[in-house]
Amino acid sequence: MDVSAQIEAVYDTLRRRNPGEAEFHQAAHEVLHAIGPVLTAHPEYADARIVERLCEPERQLMFRVPWVDDQGTVQVNRGFRVEFNSALGPYKGGLRFHPSVNLGIVKFLGFEQIFKNALTGLSIGGGKGGADFDPKGRSEAEVMRFCQSFMTELYRHLGEHTDVPAGDIGVGGREIGYLFGQYKRITNRFEAGVLTGKPVGWGGSPARTEATGYGTVFFAQEMLATRGQDFDGRRVVVSGSGNVAVYAIEKVHALGGLVVACSDSSGYLVDENGLDLALLKEIKEVRRERLSAYAEAKPSARFSDRGSVFDVPCEIALPCATQNELHQQDAGALVKNGVLAVAEGANMPCTPEAVEVFRGARVLFGPGKAANAGGVATSALEMQQNASRDRWTFERTEDQLAGIMRQVHAQCRASAEIYGGDADDYVLGANTAGFRHVADAMMAQGVI
């Protein structure tokens, strides 16, 4: 059987064994259909069934999370943790609290995390978790009770050498604090390295909050530099207005770019003068309001609940909201308006059809497993600090982050040249480089 037939057989089996998990199928399809040249060059991977083993999580956890709301009513949610691959280190990946969370979503995120974590060059495996709980509109007491119930089940599967969760959508410093407090209460150990994304005052890393957004911009900056360009004076559109988006905007402004639009689930905001970051943070991080509140406060801004933020003309686009938010027609609009580069700040925000539009138009395209690796990279730096009982400065951590993103970028280009000949093919480069790291470790450790 030739390599392409082997890959198709693996993918067909994956779809049959994981029915109804469209996002997981999509993530696996991208990886499997990129690594053909690697399998051709290394037939020993096929002999050891590396691909088949990679596609099957080492462990999948699904559990009930009962809690009591402020009215005294018992609520029941579902919790998940998929420990996908530990060949390179303890499972590492965030927890997502959002009504859309299901096993397929968590598996897609965990599968992506394997290769993203491998690209950082740090000793971390891939995993992901979460719950179909929505913290929006819940009181502090309700969020605390939910987190405590969630951790009461999950704690037995965690440990700084086993599985180290962090935050994701719906899980910020507040939720990490409640989760850590319950872990400490149950285990009677202040095991700082068991969760990352902690506040700086008790074991967190400076720059962790900013890391994913900053890292995406650093990666985009490296892509632009290959064509003698940078952010200075460029129009930029960022989708989302959560943690990743806010700090991507902050770093773009620091590099001289002008972010003119962002979005949330209610619509998108345009401010031709450049987004007022202080006002945006006030509305989103303090008042927790919709973007329409920004337009009400700023005469220069307009808010729209129709169309797409990607309709706004720009030279650089940073999709930083959620999976499959940027569709083929959005990609077409961006290309028509002259976009130079797209870097994914979220996990798989571009549909496969949109990615093909960008690649066909020779737009610089940084896939999420490379472009948004800054968050997990800084989580691993937080683990280093926890292990040594040390605390770095913000500047030292940011310098380390920038260095890691440069190294991720260089790996992608080098691997793309080896396996395809086109250094600008970051999709091929990210998938093949990440796969090689994990496959070699799995080969060395035997059939486990």
Side-chain angles (χ1 to χ4, degrees), residues 1 17 149 183 185 242 323-324 353 377:
M1 187 184 295
R17 297 180 72 182
S149 182
Y183 181 88
R185 170 201 250 172
Q323 68 269 9
N324 291 328
E353 296 79 12

Side-chain angles (χ1 to χ4, degrees), residues 292-444:
S292 53
Y294 181 108
E296 292 167 4
K298 274 273 185 180
S300 61
R302 63 179 175 86
F303 175 81
S304 176
D305 59 3
R306 295 169 181 261
S308 167
V309 69
F310 301 113
D311 294 332
V312 180
C314 65
E315 295 163 283
I316 300 164
L318 306 176
C320 295
T322 191
Q323 68 269 9
N324 291 328
E325 59 166 313
L326 196 160
H327 299 274
Q328 184 176 16
Q329 62 268 30
D330 301 317
L334 286 167
V335 170
K336 182 180 179 182
N337 287 326
V339 72
L340 302 171
V342 178
E344 294 187 322
N347 292 298
M348 205 171 71
C350 299
T351 66
E353 296 79 12
V355 174
E356 288 310 307
V357 170
F358 293 136
R359 294 172 83 181
R362 302 289 297 170
V363 170
L364 292 167
F365 176 74
K369 61 172 59 71
N372 75 19
V376 74
T378 307
S379 280
L381 299 180
E382 183 175 331
M383 292 166 68
Q384 288 183 28
Q385 294 167 76
N386 294 157
S388 61
R389 301 291 192 270
D390 195 7
R391 183 187 294 176
W392 301 349
T393 63
F394 185 99
E395 291 74 20
R396 178 181 174 185
T397 307
E398 186 180 1
D399 285 346
Q400 290 269 57
L401 169 62
I404 289 169
M405 296 311 295
R406 283 193 296 271
Q407 177 255 339
V408 171
H409 177 265
Q411 279 187 86
C412 292
R413 290 186 68 82
S415 195
E417 283 190 314
I418 291 169
Y419 293 110
D422 182 0
D424 285 349
D425 192 345
Y426 292 95
V427 174
L428 175 67
N431 284 301
T432 52
F435 175 74
R436 280 294 312 277
H437 287 310
V438 182
D440 287 345
M442 292 175 69
M443 290 289 293

Side-chain angles (χ1 to χ4, degrees), residues 124 143 347:
I124 43 177
V143 172
N347 292 298

Side-chain angles (χ1 to χ4, degrees), residues 4 14 78 95 237 240 266 359:
S4 60
L14 181 146
R78 183 174 283 177
L95 297 171
V237 163
S266 65
R359 294 172 83 181

Side-chain angles (χ1 to χ4, degrees), residues 19-21 23 57 59-66 76-84 91-110 126-134 146-147 149-158 163-169 171 179 195:
E21 298 178 356
E23 293 83 4
R59 188 175 296 107
Q60 301 180 62
L61 310 169
M62 184 161 48
F63 50 94
R64 181 179 66 202
V65 187
V76 181
N77 286 97
R78 183 174 283 177
F80 306 89
R81 187 70 178 171
V82 174
E83 297 175 333
F84 226 116
Y91 309 107
K92 188 82 193 75
L95 297 171
R96 176 177 293 192
F97 291 171
H98 191 272
S100 66
V101 170
N102 56 43
L103 186 59
I105 294 284
V106 174
K107 284 165 72 174
F108 128 62
L109 293 167
K128 204 75 177 185
D132 58 358
F133 168 76
D134 190 354
F146 174 82
C147 289
S149 182
F150 183 86
M151 183 55 79
T152 298
E153 171 58 33
L154 188 61
Y155 88 94
R156 69 195 79 232
H157 304 287
L158 306 183
D163 188 348
V164 182
D168 193 82
I169 294 172
V171 179
L179 292 165
L195 284 168

